[in-house]
Amino acid sequence: MDDLLNTRPATKPLRHWVFWPPLALVLTGLVFGMLTPEAFLVTVNGLNQRLLETLSPVYAYGVLFIFLSCLVAFVSPLGRVRIGGDSAKPMLSPYNWCVVSLCTTTAIGILFWAMAEPITHTASPPASLGLVPGSAEAMRFALSTVYMHWSFLPCAVYAVPALAFALAFHNLRLPFSLSSPLSVLIGRTAAQRLSPLVDGICLYALVAGMAGSLGTGVLTLAGGLQHLYGVPSGPSIWLPIGGAIVVAYLVTALSGVTRGMTWLSRLNSAFFLFLAVYVTTLGPFREAAVHSANALGEFATHFFTRATFSEFSPTDPWPKTWTLFYWAIWLAWAPITAAFLGRIGVGYTVRSFILVNLFLPSIFSVVWMSIFGGVALALQQNGLDLIGTLQSGGPERLVYSVLATLPWAGVVIPAFLLTAFLSYVTSANSNMVAMAGMSSEGISPESPEPPSWLKLVWGITVGAISMCLLCLSGLDGVRALSYLGGAPALFYVLAVSFSLLKLCWRPEKFGLKIPEWKKRSEKSVSPAGLPQGSLP
């Protein structure tokens, strides 16, 4: 199987109209940010603000529609279709598939914001809800909002394009292009003509988004080193941390999916488990469980009103400041990440795919945020001034202040730093593979690995952009650039959602035969045979 996965043709030509425009665009933004950091921030933030104000209803209702379309696919007869055809063999074992998919979508943000975000919302709840800062009601709102930002809605933003891409690439045998799922909606000829434009825009969106995430990761690690060893957080430490992360994700990306990437995902998931058990066992679990139970109830009862922003005053800036910015970042990552998730989902049914890519990461995020967010709120309620820590030291210092209150902090904080390091690396390496594949010709189910030099180019580019903007403009500069990709990605994922619903409605039109109901093990499949279907 490894031989099959690592089969590379003698040459895979570069897709020039996909590779060069986004590369030139992000480098132009980098030069702009380096020469005039203040003007860069003003320009990009102004553009982001106009986009969010104009598209606010589209973001709100669009993301909800994406989530509902994923549920439709799960319960529809399409759920029984096997990705790659009835005889397709899985690329990864069920466990490896779960951990690789989970670590691809669960990036370093879940470590950075698990404690910082609920404390931030507790200190500054939306003005239009009339909550008293620091009150029990503000805490309940804060944790329920974290569930909204990190579970079912954002995971659906990944799952829908990933599923549509998997069916287009493996079942319909269409090119390794993000325009391929659109063939169901607009026809194969039109989709092929749009291919360079769609792939180029999505590549730019992901490069910008990954640069922002890398900046967050570097600050998280720098905050830990400052807490442990008193090393000042600044460019002198940011650059070596960023360089180490870039080297790590390039090495694992070059090793292939079934080798270094799988091994690293398994290690990362083990550290996640260790930290969750540690905080649950030694933290104020009873109080955290009460906060979590109350917040889950509020999350369920206010899900639709807060997803559509109907609960907030139209003049309240809070939804745009937080939720819309989150949706923009998730959407910027989604299309290219979907290409990777779709590629590794071969051999499993549509229903299994949705379980692994929607429900598994959503439940994981809810549990994780319940543990870490609930503990942070419990400590704040018990007298630890985390709001003061947040305001004086920034969000990157807050988590270490919490861990320092627990036993064996001298051992656990380094473990947390290592988990943060692995979290970004495991999410980045999969996207390097997808970005390189999108930039080259000849990617197919039989020859899925892109040229190594393209992985190097994109990996170094992301690292250079993030480090330069972080040192010159701070985290605001990196985040400002990362938001820009959300708007075009929103319309792409919405179009793909309509394609997926069309497949649910008329699967036989596209050659997708719905199997009869019967018990069948995911492991009892034979090697991949003839393609299952094709577009009319």
Side-chain angles (χ1 to χ4, degrees):
M1 189 62 184
D2 286 344
D3 293 336
L4 173 63
L5 294 175
N6 291 293
T7 300
R8 294 178 175 86
T11 180
K12 287 182 177 176
L14 185 68
R15 297 177 68 195
H16 292 282
W17 285 104
V18 174
F19 177 77
W20 293 110
L23 182 62
L25 191 58
V26 294
L27 291 179
T28 300
L30 174 62
V31 173
F32 182 24
M34 293 176 64
L35 294 178
T36 56
E38 293 183 2
F40 170 79
L41 280 176
V42 170
T43 302
V44 177
N45 282 330
L47 180 57
N48 278 323
Q49 188 65 26
R50 286 192 293 272
L51 284 173
L52 291 177
E53 288 177 354
T54 304
L55 299 175
S56 175
V58 184
Y59 272 107
Y61 287 94
V63 170
L64 182 59
F65 172 77
I66 292 166
F67 169 68
L68 294 176
S69 66
C70 196
L71 296 184
V72 170
F74 182 78
V75 301
S76 74
L78 185 70
R80 302 201 299 273
V81 171
R82 188 168 299 275
I83 297 171
D86 287 340
S87 60
K89 185 177 181 180
M91 175 186 292
L92 300 171
S93 68
Y95 177 73
N96 286 343
W97 181 42
C98 288
V99 296
V100 171
S101 297
L102 179 64
C103 292
T104 296
T105 55
T106 306
I108 196 168
I110 201 170
L111 295 171
F112 188 82
W113 290 110
M115 293 183 175
E117 188 177 345
I119 295 298
T120 301
H121 298 325
T122 298
S124 303
S128 60
L129 296 187
L131 301 175
V132 178
S135 64
E137 293 78 13
M139 290 183 177
R140 184 166 61 248
F141 165 81
L143 194 53
S144 67
T145 297
V146 173
Y147 297 147
M148 177 74 71
H149 289 166
W150 292 92
S151 62
F152 294 95
L153 291 177
C155 289
V157 167
Y158 282 125
V160 166
L163 175 57
F165 183 88
L167 292 170
F169 182 61
H170 290 294
N171 293 68
L172 306 182
R173 309 295 290 187
L174 294 173
F176 192 84
S177 168
L178 294 173
S179 68
S180 291
L182 301 178
S183 300
V184 176
L185 194 64
I186 62 177
R188 184 166 187 169
T189 301
Q192 287 179 338
R193 289 175 180 171
L194 289 174
S195 178
L197 178 63
V198 172
D199 292 343
I201 290 175
C202 292
L203 271 175
Y204 164 76
L206 181 61
V207 171
M210 288 186 66
S213 182
L214 177 56
T216 300
V218 169
L219 288 180
T220 301
L221 293 169
L225 293 176
Q226 184 173 6
H227 180 87
L228 284 175
Y229 308 113
V231 179
S233 181
S236 61
I237 192 65
W238 295 344
L239 290 174
I241 291 175
I245 293 175
V246 170
V247 170
Y249 69 60
L250 285 176
V251 169
T252 51
L254 293 172
S255 67
V257 177
T258 59
R259 296 176 182 174
M261 293 172 64
T262 298
W263 178 84
L264 200 64
S265 296
R266 292 169 68 104
L267 181 63
N268 191 26
S269 62
F271 273 99
F272 273 134
L273 179 61
F274 164 74
L275 287 173
V277 171
Y278 166 79
V279 174
T280 300
T281 304
L282 299 177
F285 177 72
R286 181 175 297 178
E287 296 94 327
V290 172
H291 282 292
S292 301
N294 292 334
L296 281 171
E298 181 159 331
F299 171 61
T301 56
H302 294 263
F303 179 81
F304 289 100
T305 56
R306 290 182 182 169
T308 57
F309 306 156
S310 59
E311 190 171 334
F312 304 97
S313 167
T315 59
D316 192 339
W318 189 92
K320 297 183 182 67
T321 303
W322 282 98
T323 305
L324 286 190
F325 271 131
Y326 267 121
W327 290 173
I329 293 175
W330 287 101
L331 285 160
W333 280 68
I336 301 294
T337 306
F340 177 80
L341 295 174
R343 173 191 155 189
I344 66 173
V346 63
Y348 293 94
T349 64
V350 166
R351 195 159 288 131
S352 297
F353 189 95
I354 296 174
L355 282 172
V356 168
N357 289 282
L358 173 63
F359 292 104
L360 172 64
S362 297
I363 293 171
F364 172 82
S365 294
V366 167
V367 172
W368 182 270
M369 294 300 183
S370 295
I371 294 170
F372 284 81
V375 164
L377 292 175
L379 291 174
Q380 172 67 33
Q381 198 171 38
N382 291 340
L384 183 64
D385 187 16
L386 294 179
I387 293 177
T389 301
L390 178 71
Q391 294 170 345
S392 61
E396 66 270 19
R397 296 289 303 279
L398 190 143
V399 64
Y400 302 109
S401 299
V402 172
L403 293 177
T405 66
L406 303 180
W408 308 317
V411 175
V412 174
I413 290 178
F416 182 89
L417 288 174
L418 181 58
T419 306
F421 181 86
L422 293 175
S423 294
Y424 186 83
V425 171
T426 51
S427 63
N429 54 27
S430 56
N431 284 296
M432 292 302 138
V433 173
M435 292 164 70
M438 210 61 61
S439 304
S440 59
E441 303 279 2
I443 303 297
S444 68
E446 294 75 25
S447 181
E449 284 295 328
S452 296
W453 72 269
L454 275 173
K455 300 177 187 177
L456 290 171
V457 168
W458 284 121
I460 293 171
T461 298
V462 168
I465 292 170
S466 180
M467 290 300 97
C468 289
L469 290 181
L470 182 61
C471 293
L472 294 169
S473 305
L475 184 59
D476 289 339
V478 183
R479 292 177 66 187
L481 185 64
S482 69
Y483 298 143
L484 284 178
L490 168 64
F491 290 101
Y492 169 78
V493 180
L494 282 174
V496 169
S497 299
F498 283 106
S499 295
L500 183 61
L501 291 176
K502 192 172 181 179
L503 285 176
C504 293
W505 183 255
R506 304 249 342 247
E508 68 284 349
K509 179 180 178 181
F510 303 98
L512 297 177
K513 183 181 178 182
I514 306 298
E516 297 295 329
W517 281 108
K518 59 182 178 179
K519 293 183 179 180
R520 180 174 180 175
S521 170
E522 296 281 14
K523 296 181 179 180
S524 63
V525 290
S526 57
L530 295 175
Q532 185 179 1
S534 59
L535 282 174

